[in-house]
Amino acid sequence: MLELKDISFSADGKKILNHINLKIDNNKFIVMTGPNGGGKSTLAKMIAGINIPTQGKILFDGEDITTMPIYQRAQKGVAFAFQQPVRFKGITVKDLIALSANQQINEKKMCGYLFDVGLCPKDYLKREVNTNLSGGEIKRIEIATVLARNAKLTIFDEPEAGIDLWSFNHLIAIFQKLREQQEGSILVISHQERILEIADEIIVLANGQISKHGPTQEILPELLHKERCKFCIRQEESI
Amino acid sequence: MNKITKKLLSMVSDMDDLPENSAFNIREDSSCAGRHSTEHVEIVGKTDVPGIDIRIKPNTKGESIYIPACITKSNVDDLVYNDFYVGENADVIIVAGCGVHTDSEESSQHNGIHRFFLEKGAKVLYLEKHVGIGKGTGKRFINPQTYMELAENSYMEMDTSQIKGVDSTKRTSKAKLEKGAKLVIKEKIMTHGEQFAETNFEVELNGEDSGADLMSRSVARDHSKQVFRSIINGNTNCMGHSQCDAIIMDTATISAIPELTANHIDAQLIHEAAIGKIAGEQITKLMTLGLNEEEAEAKIVEGFLK
Ligand SMILES: Nc1ncnc2c1ncn2[C@@H]1O[C@H](COP(=O)(O)OP(=O)(O)OP(=O)(O)O)[C@@H](O)[C@H]1O
Ligand SMILES: [Mg+2]
């Protein structure tokens, strides 16, 4: 479904992504991990169209989308949950979910997305997506809005960051559910072993290059044994 | 009532027909197109100057009073004085609003001078909406002046908005507050083209524990110009807050000029002003939901002024 061909990206004279080749097949649940600053978010934004590669090609369902504007990719089925969600004055959670769903969506369905991320719809639908929301709240709202997209390819950039243990368990459940009823592919950027565990494939991105990519059974043990403390912390240990 | 008045009425007061059982006065091209008083709310025409007196009896609860003004053609120069006397412990909603329609190259203007006298414990929600419509090139001017005197423990909230079509507006709102009185003003303005909008707030906090919260949200597009001035004088133990939050677009100009004066050691006065363009990341986020740049911008502005 998605193919990156020899992608490189530089900003401010610094090479951030270096000759990346990557294929994501249909109906896969893929987790990308790697050290901070390795280029994961940069790569995810490139798929969403926020960054345009300085070299290489991006194909989505066989179509060259390398320079296609963000909104057209979105319309073709790319959804992206930001690592740092954007805040708006005056736009409510309800407005944002409705925009994401891009069709008439009933309130019951909207509530369902909020329930999934552990937020009580009654308290949140009318809230503004502004600076009054806590870090964990806005993060969960971001996930809910992206779930409402029902996209072919959904990218979550560190969805677990800043959310509490209870919601984290919820999140795992959401991903498991998505994985089961999957009608598209999911790419999650994460540092959490419990998210890595449920992946079909794991990608390790370090120094702007893919250092590992393969089935979870193969990659995860390697990560856990060799590079354990480097970037995989168990959620339980981190709190 | 003519068709244009009807259209303007529905725009400024969400009113499709004359409200039944409510007190109202409809002003059309400087004359009265309908008036109705109720048991608790009496509306009478002034004899010395154009305008009306609205007397709301003490303890009147839950009534809404409508006093829209419409100008339906070019070349009207309307000036009106409306005085509201709100009795002790009354709790009412007043819906004002003004629509100006010009159909030729001649201008029209409405200058509404509204005075509010709130007695002890009275509570008023004052809603005011201003619009300009019509294909004529004649300029549409609306210059509202609002004077408010708030007696002990009274409360007034003024929600005012001007979203469309008014070429020039100079709005002055002055208030004097006695002990325990509270004033909230929420203003929303959008200007485009060559429009000009000026806001002047002037509040005297005279009574202990009085408080004022003045909030303005505005969007200036194209080559329009906005000036926001807020003067708060804290003359005793009181709280004053003014806030100007503006989005600037294209080649517009926005000024925010606060003037806070504390004349007492226990006066707490705050002014916040933020002027800036729409954050790029907000547009990006909405684009990732499938909106193009223009749609994203429109959505952000719509939310901001909601
Ligand atoms: N626009 C930019 N200009 C300059 N440097 C950038 C830009 N965007 C990212 N970088 C740099 O590129 C590197 C990769 O950043 P990126 O955000 O992709 O890392 P990441 O793998 O997502 O890290 P983390 O795990 O901390 O989220 C970092 O060193 C970052 O500072
Ligand atoms: Mg990142």
Side-chain angles (χ1 to χ4, degrees):
Chain A
M1 116 176 329
L2 181 79
E3 202 178 342
L4 306 184
K5 287 185 159 171
D6 196 31
I7 290 286
S8 293
F9 179 72
S10 307
D12 292 346
K14 194 182 149 216
K15 200 139 201 184
I16 298 170
L17 297 175
N18 213 342
H19 301 292
I20 302 242
N21 286 290
L22 175 66
K23 241 184 169 168
I24 291 177
D25 294 328
N26 284 327
N27 304 335
K28 289 280 186 220
F29 187 96
I30 297 173
V31 178
M32 178 155 65
T33 191
N36 293 133
K40 302 178 296 298
S41 295
T42 306
L43 186 65
K45 285 183 186 163
M46 190 161 286
I47 299 169
I50 300 167
N51 297 328
I52 302 293
T54 32
Q55 188 192 319
K57 265 198 176 135
I58 306 174
L59 304 181
F60 188 62
D61 282 341
E63 184 184 0
D64 187 343
I65 60 161
T66 315
T67 56
M68 184 183 280
I70 304 169
Y71 73 95
Q72 283 176 10
R73 296 186 202 208
Q75 289 164 358
K76 294 216 181 276
V78 178
F80 177 51
F82 286 54
Q83 181 170 7
Q84 268 136 4
V86 180
R87 297 170 190 262
F88 297 89
K89 281 176 185 160
I91 295 184
T92 61
V93 172
K94 190 174 166 179
D95 295 338
L96 215 51
I97 296 180
L99 277 178
S100 304
N102 187 32
Q103 55 185 355
Q104 284 300 330
I105 170 172
N106 61 30
E107 198 148 316
K108 199 172 153 212
K109 231 169 156 193
M110 290 196 195
C111 293
Y113 293 120
L114 289 173
F115 260 127
D116 281 346
V117 295
L119 294 174
C120 175
K122 170 163 87 26
D123 299 342
Y124 285 92
L125 268 182
K126 292 207 174 84
R127 290 270 307 257
E128 287 184 22
V129 189
N130 61 18
T131 47
N132 294 342
L133 292 167
S134 78
E137 284 170 336
I138 191 145
K139 196 73 193 181
R140 288 191 266 164
I141 288 162
E142 177 80 359
I143 295 166
T145 55
V146 168
L147 290 176
R149 295 278 326 275
N150 276 317
K152 270 194 222 162
L153 174 64
T154 307
I155 306 166
F156 295 93
D157 195 349
E158 294 195 27
E160 76 276 9
I163 71 172
D164 57 64
L165 184 57
W166 186 79
S167 306
F168 181 71
N169 289 331
H170 252 282
L171 192 65
I172 301 277
I174 296 170
F175 286 146
Q176 258 156 349
K177 189 166 122 192
L178 279 177
R179 213 185 145 211
E180 278 154 27
Q181 23 166 272
Q182 115 153 290
E183 280 163 42
S185 288
I186 294 160
L187 175 63
V188 182
I189 296 173
S190 176
H191 300 286
Q192 293 298 329
E193 193 181 321
R194 283 181 58 199
I195 294 181
L196 289 162
E197 274 168 0
I198 60 171
D200 297 314
E201 291 173 20
I202 293 175
I203 299 168
V204 180
L205 189 71
N207 275 322
Q209 287 180 311
I210 293 180
S211 61
K212 290 187 174 70
H213 181 189
T216 302
Q217 315 85 279
E218 215 172 275
I219 309 284
L220 190 60
E222 284 180 43
L223 287 178
L224 293 179
H225 293 123
K226 289 193 201 140
E227 306 181 49
R228 169 142 209 154
C229 304
K230 232 168 153 183
F231 47 73
C232 278
I233 313 160
R234 271 200 176 267
Q235 176 84 4
E236 294 77 19
E237 288 165 12
S238 68
I239 53 166
Chain B
M1 237 192 324
N2 71 39
K3 256 201 210 132
I4 296 166
T5 302
K6 278 207 159 169
K7 177 164 182 198
L8 289 169
L9 276 182
S10 75
M11 289 173 82
V12 298
S13 52
D14 301 318
M15 198 157 88
D16 288 326
D17 242 310
L18 294 179
E20 275 174 56
N21 313 323
S22 295
F24 64 82
N25 184 83
I26 294 163
R27 188 173 175 85
E28 179 187 71
D29 299 328
S30 303
S31 59
C32 177
R35 177 178 299 164
H36 181 238
S37 296
T38 64
E39 191 189 333
H40 304 286
V41 182
E42 186 194 25
I43 304 181
V44 290
K46 281 186 185 297
T47 48
D48 49 345
V49 286
I52 49 176
D53 285 334
I54 299 101
R55 291 181 191 279
I56 299 160
K57 288 192 181 150
N59 300 310
T60 302
K61 302 274 181 211
E63 279 202 35
S64 296
I65 298 140
Y66 299 86
I67 49 145
C70 300
I71 290 176
T72 65
K73 51 185 191 252
S74 290
N75 225 341
V76 174
D77 187 353
D78 189 25
L79 171 69
V80 63
Y81 296 85
N82 294 335
D83 290 336
F84 299 82
Y85 299 90
V86 188
E88 267 186 41
N89 297 318
D91 183 353
V92 295
I93 297 175
I94 297 168
V95 183
C98 171
V100 175
H101 174 271
T102 52
D103 46 12
S104 73
E105 65 277 9
E106 304 288 333
S107 306
S108 270
Q109 64 172 316
H110 173 77
N111 295 303
I113 299 166
H114 291 182
R115 296 194 299 169
F116 291 84
F117 302 93
L118 273 66
E119 291 187 26
K120 283 184 188 169
K123 214 176 147 191
V124 172
L125 173 60
Y126 177 48
L127 307 172
E128 188 192 58
K129 216 190 231 180
H130 291 149
V131 295
I133 56 170
K135 292 202 173 64
T137 52
K139 297 254 186 281
R140 300 176 283 261
F141 299 99
I142 299 183
N143 298 312
Q145 294 179 35
T146 310
Y147 297 92
M148 296 161 268
E149 289 186 14
L150 277 67
E152 222 174 292
N153 295 324
S154 61
Y155 173 91
M156 178 149 175
E157 178 176 331
M158 172 172 167
D159 286 9
T160 160
S161 72
Q162 179 187 305
I163 306 297
K164 262 203 190 106
V166 178
D167 293 294
S168 174
T169 181
K170 199 172 159 185
R171 32 185 67 231
T172 302
S173 303
K174 293 188 182 178
K176 283 185 189 153
L177 280 71
E178 288 178 28
K179 193 176 165 195
K182 298 272 180 294
L183 171 69
V184 175
I185 302 182
K186 296 179 187 163
E187 174 187 79
K188 282 171 188 166
I189 294 183
M190 177 145 92
T191 52
H192 37 100
E194 298 290 322
Q195 294 173 353
F196 174 71
E198 180 179 321
T199 292
N200 293 290
F201 290 138
E202 207 178 311
V203 177
E204 296 284 342
L205 298 170
N206 295 331
E208 270 183 37
D209 288 323
S210 58
D213 198 357
L214 318 175
M215 291 167 279
S216 168
R217 272 203 181 176
S218 69
V219 176
R221 356 178 46 129
D222 307 325
H223 203 55
S224 63
K225 198 167 176 308
Q226 296 183 1
V227 178
F228 172 86
R229 228 180 249 114
S230 71
I231 298 176
I232 303 180
N233 294 322
N235 303 322
T236 177
N237 174 5
C238 60
M239 287 276 282
H241 175 236
S242 102
Q243 185 179 32
C244 164
D245 203 345
I247 292 180
I248 181 165
M249 299 171 80
D250 312 311
T251 53
T253 306
I254 302 176
S255 313
I257 310 158
E259 187 182 325
L260 306 182
T261 307
N263 292 314
H264 191 278
I265 181 90
D266 289 319
Q268 283 191 57
L269 308 175
I270 302 169
H271 176 78
E272 299 171 84
I275 303 172
K277 62 174 189 236
I278 296 176
E281 57 169 15
Q282 293 183 333
I283 294 176
T284 302
K285 170 65 194 178
L286 295 190
M287 286 176 80
T288 66
L289 302 181
L291 278 68
N292 67 30
E293 194 168 338
E294 271 170 33
E295 292 165 340
E297 246 179 39
K299 204 80 209 168
I300 292 162
V301 166
E302 179 195 312
F304 185 72
L305 292 178
K306 194 168 52 189

